[in-house]
């Protein structure tokens, strides 16, 4: 990091190579200098004359960028006007480009607030600046869909400006062109995926990092940041926050520190309310998302409020646990005409089983709760090889927990179209092998409760049970959930959305062992946020188990899938052939 706060490899905007207040004369001459046309005035090959007007400070409130309108012999299209907050951020970037000042900026906009539109219009101006080579390089976490969307946006703006006849995609005849060329200038799109080979490119004027919060900081510093070095290109980081470890957050904090020293703004932030001031329909949409997800949901906080997630806390606070508590009675059997779903969390089996230990580690993740390493290691079991998975310190065994819930579909025209989920029954078995439980599970799910959908933990040794249940109930009624980091994160987000939206309710306290175990796990459940906007949730081993917690998350997933299938007109059925196959399997 250089003195002045800008990320290494870039000067803060407003300083030249010697620390003075403006760029050197030679660079101004080849930059987008103040008062220069953003075009070299030459005619394109098709004979049409295009010229950009001069950059003369802030654009008018009624249109797009001053200098973005294109004069042609044919009637041009119209590039969409930018909103006031987009113009504010874009004005700072274009000023740095005009002055050849180098430096970097960070721009955070609420989801769908228009950062890609701003980026595309800046890129369009650079294509028309008269410079040759890669005037801009844009990187993103993935080639598809993120860079693909960006390339299409730029191509659309070229078409809107009536310039498509003189533009082309490069290289031709490939599935995904990695550059858009206009004359001698091009904008290049490069993937920041871990194994992408991008070394060797040079950014002539601009280096952009889209969704910078999802780009690995080490890869960016090693392979992308040097691309701006030769021409001292301006670097812009776009995205929404996640946690303090991201590339975007590092750039933001660097820029804020520089602003405190010299007063020059380098960080621009526009939350959903700022966007809604310009676009009321957007505000109505985000309000509905707030009702659906809840104000404390990580997705709402980060993507709309632009706030960092706080790590290491409880999954559900006291207010959320109060929301989860319901007033309906527990039921021992289903009621006619109602729809039910289930979540099945399978125990790891014998706690001395090597397969069970490996399965538990895979499901929980590598030591997510900070359990001491020496205590995690334990001692090798008598008669086992030295490299066998160690026995984990546990007070007792996991349980297989089946959660049943009634699904109440919203009325037609209701404000929220997600179903209400009422937990009505729990079954728990400790120490019973899966093969012994399977006939009873089939009977409960298929013949007693007649569930529309069951989501089952199919991680490791649960895969066989999930497959046999699918044979017995029909594949359309069984979702086999494998606890990868991404899938578990989606389960957590779904659970939080259901709780925050007031759609998930636990039956009234009845003093049962199941009810007490449920609330004990809910109160002790913790969350941990990972990179790439994922989260983990668990109960620390020292505090007990998470069987009821995982079963709860699975039942929410089953209810969401039922809503999707009902909306699409799919009604899950159990065929005679499916029942015959289940008997043959047994």
């Amino acid at each position: 990091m250089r003195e002045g706060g800008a990320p290494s490899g870039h000067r803060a905007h407003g300083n030249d190579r010697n620390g003075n207040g403006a760029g050197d004369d030679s660079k101004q001459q080849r930059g987008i200098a103040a008062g220069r046309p953003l075009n070299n005035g030459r005619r394109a090959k098709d004979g049409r004359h295009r010229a950009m007007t001069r950059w003369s400070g802030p654009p008018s409130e009624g249109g797009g960028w001053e200098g973005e309108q294109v004069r042609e012999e044919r009637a041009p299209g119209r590039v969409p006007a930018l909103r006031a907050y987009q113009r504010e951020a874009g004005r700072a970037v274009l000023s740095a480009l005009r002055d050849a000042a180098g430096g970097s900026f960070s721009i955070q906009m609420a989801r769908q607030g228009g950062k890609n539109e701003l980026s595309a219009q800046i890129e369009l101006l650079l294509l028309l600046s008269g410079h040759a080579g890669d005037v801009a390089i844009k990187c993103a976490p993935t080639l598809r869909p993120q860079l693909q969307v960006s390339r299409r946006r730029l191509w659309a703006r070229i078409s809107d400006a009536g310039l498509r006849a003189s533009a082309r995609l490069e290289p031709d005849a490939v599935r995904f062109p990695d550059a858009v060329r206009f004359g001698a200038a091009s904008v290049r799109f490069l993937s920041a995926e871990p194994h992408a080979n991008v070394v060797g490119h040079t950014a002539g004027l601009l280096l952009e990092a889209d969704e910078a919060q999802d780009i690995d900081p080490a890869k960016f510093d090693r392979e992308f940041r040097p691309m701006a070095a030769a021409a001292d290109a301006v670097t812009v980081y776009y995205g929404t926050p996640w946690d303090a470890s991201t590339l975007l957050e590092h750039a933001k904090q660097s820029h804020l520190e520089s602003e405190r020293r010299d007063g020059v703004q380098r960080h621009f932030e526009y939350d959903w309310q700022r966007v809604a001031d310009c676009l009321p329909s957007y505000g109505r949409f985000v309000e509905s998302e707030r009702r659906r997800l809840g104000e404390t949901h990580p997705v709402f906080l980060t993507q709309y409020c632009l706030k960092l997630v706080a790590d290491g806390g409880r999954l559900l606070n006291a207010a959320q646990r109060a929301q989860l508590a319901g007033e309906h009675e527990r039921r021992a059997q289903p009621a006619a005409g109602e729809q039910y779903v289930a979540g099945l969390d399978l125990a790891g089996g014998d706690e001395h089983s090597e397969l069970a230990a490996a399965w538990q580690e895979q499901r929980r993740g590598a030591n997510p709760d900070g359990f001491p390493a020496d205590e995690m290691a334990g001692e090798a079991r008598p008669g086992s090889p030295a490299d066998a998975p160690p026995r984990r310190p546990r007070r007792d065994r996991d349980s297989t927990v089946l959660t049943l819930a009634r699904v109440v579909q919203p009325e037609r025209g209701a404000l929220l179209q997600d179903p209400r989920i009422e937990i009505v029954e729990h079954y728990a078995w400790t120490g019973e092998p899966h093969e012994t439980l399977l006939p009873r599970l089939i009977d409960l799910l298929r013949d007693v409760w007649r569930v529309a959908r069951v989501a089952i933990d199919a991680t490791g040794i649960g895969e066989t049970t999930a497959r046999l249940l699918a044979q017995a109930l029909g594949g359309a009624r069984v979702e086999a959930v494998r606890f990868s980091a991404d899938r578990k994160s989606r389960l957590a987000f779904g659970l939080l959305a259901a709780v925050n939206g007031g759609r998930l309710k636990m039956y009234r306290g009845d003093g049962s062992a199941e009810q007490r175990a449920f609330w004990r796990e809910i109160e002790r459940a913790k969350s941990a946020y990972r990179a790439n906007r994922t989260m983990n949730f668990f109960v620390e081993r020292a505090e007990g188990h998470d069987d009821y917690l995982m079963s709860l998350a699975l039942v929410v997933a089953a209810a969401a899938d039922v809503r999707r299938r009902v909306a699409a007109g799919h009604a899950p059925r159990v065929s005679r052939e499916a029942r015959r196959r289940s008997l043959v399997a047994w």
Side-chain angles (χ1 to χ4, degrees):
M1 193 73 67
R2 292 195 178 189
E3 184 179 2
S8 58
H10 299 288
R11 293 189 323 280
H13 170 44
N15 295 326
D16 67 6
R17 298 180 193 276
N18 299 316
N20 299 318
D24 57 81
D25 293 339
S26 62
K27 193 164 185 181
Q28 284 186 354
Q29 292 173 0
R30 65 184 178 83
I32 307 175
R36 269 184 55 182
L38 291 174
N39 183 274
N40 60 9
R42 292 178 298 180
R43 294 177 180 271
K45 291 183 179 180
D46 61 1
R48 293 180 295 171
H49 176 68
R50 301 174 177 83
M52 301 299 293
T53 60
R54 292 175 181 270
W55 168 257
S56 57
S60 62
E61 290 294 319
W65 295 104
E66 186 173 346
E68 111 186 329
Q69 302 303 320
V70 179
R71 298 191 298 274
E72 295 188 3
E73 295 175 2
R74 301 181 185 181
R78 179 169 178 79
V79 176
L82 294 174
R83 305 178 191 118
Y85 62 88
Q86 292 170 301
R87 295 199 298 270
E88 179 185 48
R91 199 159 47 230
V93 175
L94 285 182
S95 293
L97 291 167
R98 176 199 64 194
D99 298 337
S104 60
F105 300 88
S106 50
I107 301 174
Q108 291 184 345
M109 287 186 189
R111 185 62 60 196
Q112 296 298 316
K115 67 176 177 62
N116 287 335
E117 182 63 37
L118 170 61
S119 173
Q121 294 202 23
I122 292 175
E123 292 161 2
L124 175 60
L125 287 176
L126 294 184
L127 284 175
L128 299 171
S129 67
H131 288 77
D134 288 340
V135 293
I137 289 179
K138 187 172 193 175
C139 66
T142 62
L143 187 66
R144 297 181 179 84
Q146 289 163 323
L147 285 175
Q148 191 174 46
V149 169
S150 293
R151 181 187 60 80
R152 287 175 177 171
R153 180 71 63 101
L154 175 58
W155 191 252
R157 295 303 159 258
I158 291 174
S159 300
D160 291 340
L163 303 172
R164 187 168 179 175
S166 297
R168 62 187 175 90
L169 301 176
E170 173 187 280
D172 299 324
V174 295
R175 293 185 61 185
F176 181 80
D178 66 357
V180 175
R181 179 172 291 278
F182 185 86
S186 60
V187 174
R188 192 165 301 277
F189 302 88
L190 300 176
S191 171
E193 293 170 290
H195 302 295
N197 185 9
V198 298
V199 176
H201 294 282
T202 299
L205 297 173
L206 179 66
L207 175 63
E208 298 177 291
D210 190 25
E211 302 294 348
Q213 74 280 355
D214 292 334
I215 295 176
D216 177 30
K219 183 177 181 66
F220 186 85
D221 288 343
R222 182 178 63 252
E223 300 180 20
F224 285 98
R225 199 185 301 280
M227 296 179 186
D232 196 18
V234 174
T235 302
V236 182
Y237 305 86
Y238 298 96
T240 55
W242 179 243
D243 63 19
S245 67
T246 65
L247 174 66
L248 179 62
E249 187 63 20
H250 290 170
K252 171 185 173 179
Q253 294 304 323
S254 170
H255 295 150
L256 292 177
E257 178 62 26
S258 295
E259 290 176 14
R260 285 190 286 268
R261 286 199 295 266
D262 60 23
V264 178
Q265 186 174 4
R266 300 170 179 83
H267 175 70
F268 298 85
E269 189 170 308
Y270 309 103
D271 65 11
W272 73 272
Q273 292 174 317
R274 183 70 180 273
V275 179
D277 289 341
C278 300
L279 195 63
S281 59
Y282 178 86
R284 291 191 293 272
F285 169 79
V286 179
E287 289 284 4
S288 69
E289 285 294 277
R290 179 162 60 180
R291 289 190 293 268
R292 183 178 71 87
L293 298 173
E295 291 185 348
T296 61
H297 194 285
V299 170
F300 188 81
L301 283 175
T302 58
Q303 298 195 17
Y304 295 107
C305 300
L306 304 184
K307 297 183 182 298
L308 295 176
V309 292
D311 203 358
R314 295 294 180 185
L315 177 67
L316 300 176
N317 58 34
Q320 291 169 312
R321 296 196 297 271
Q323 280 188 286
L324 180 58
E327 293 297 327
H328 61 280
E329 299 292 339
R330 185 176 181 177
R331 293 183 177 179
Q333 58 186 9
E338 293 185 345
Q339 187 180 52
Y340 296 92
V341 294
L344 178 60
D345 181 68
L346 294 169
D350 184 357
E351 66 178 342
H352 299 289
S353 165
E354 295 178 11
L355 182 59
W359 168 73
Q360 289 288 351
E361 291 301 330
Q362 180 182 356
R363 197 180 82 157
R364 288 178 180 265
N367 198 15
D369 50 17
F371 208 81
D374 55 347
E375 198 169 354
M376 282 283 293
E379 297 178 356
R381 294 179 298 280
S384 65
D387 59 349
R391 180 172 59 197
R392 303 183 327 147
R394 304 194 59 87
R395 297 179 304 174
D396 50 8
R397 295 182 179 183
D398 289 335
S399 298
T400 293
V401 174
L402 176 65
T403 302
L404 277 301
R406 181 171 72 121
V407 178
V408 182
Q409 298 294 343
E411 296 181 1
R412 188 180 300 274
L415 191 61
L416 293 178
Q417 287 299 306
D418 295 285
R420 181 181 173 91
I421 308 165
E422 296 179 353
I423 303 168
V424 295
E425 182 62 297
H426 279 121
Y427 298 91
W429 301 273
T430 302
E432 293 195 37
H434 295 176
E435 58 271 20
T436 303
L437 282 178
L438 192 55
R440 186 172 181 185
L441 290 172
I442 293 174
D443 180 61
L444 287 170
L445 295 169
R446 184 186 66 193
D447 302 324
V448 177
W449 290 93
R450 299 185 179 89
V451 297
R453 186 77 169 170
V454 55
I456 174 176
D457 171 16
T459 310
I461 59 178
E463 185 172 1
T464 300
T465 303
R467 176 172 52 81
L468 294 174
L469 279 178
Q471 291 176 356
L473 276 66
R477 296 169 69 181
V478 177
E479 179 186 6
V481 178
R482 292 168 181 82
F483 277 37
S484 65
D486 177 70
R487 188 66 179 94
K488 194 170 181 182
S489 178
R490 285 186 281 131
L491 287 175
F493 286 145
L495 175 59
L496 288 175
V499 172
N500 292 340
R503 299 183 292 104
L504 178 62
K505 300 294 180 182
M506 170 64 172
Y507 52 79
R508 182 185 303 170
D510 62 352
S512 64
E514 294 84 6
Q515 183 252 344
R516 293 195 304 271
F518 172 87
W519 284 112
R520 183 166 55 249
E521 291 187 13
I522 294 301
E523 291 169 0
R524 296 175 179 177
K526 289 189 174 183
S527 61
Y529 295 96
R530 302 188 182 104
N532 299 323
R533 290 182 287 182
T534 61
M535 66 178 292
N536 188 18
F537 65 114
F538 54 91
V539 175
E540 289 188 359
R541 295 183 182 91
E543 294 188 357
H545 298 281
D546 58 8
D547 312 309
Y548 285 86
L549 175 65
M550 297 304 161
S551 182
L552 178 67
L554 289 167
V555 83
V556 172
D561 191 74
V562 164
R563 180 183 66 83
R564 287 192 294 270
R565 293 182 64 81
V566 169
H570 299 290
R573 298 177 179 177
V574 182
S575 64
R576 289 184 178 180
E577 178 61 18
R579 295 188 180 187
R580 186 191 67 79
R581 287 198 305 269
S582 68
L583 292 175
V584 170
W586 281 104

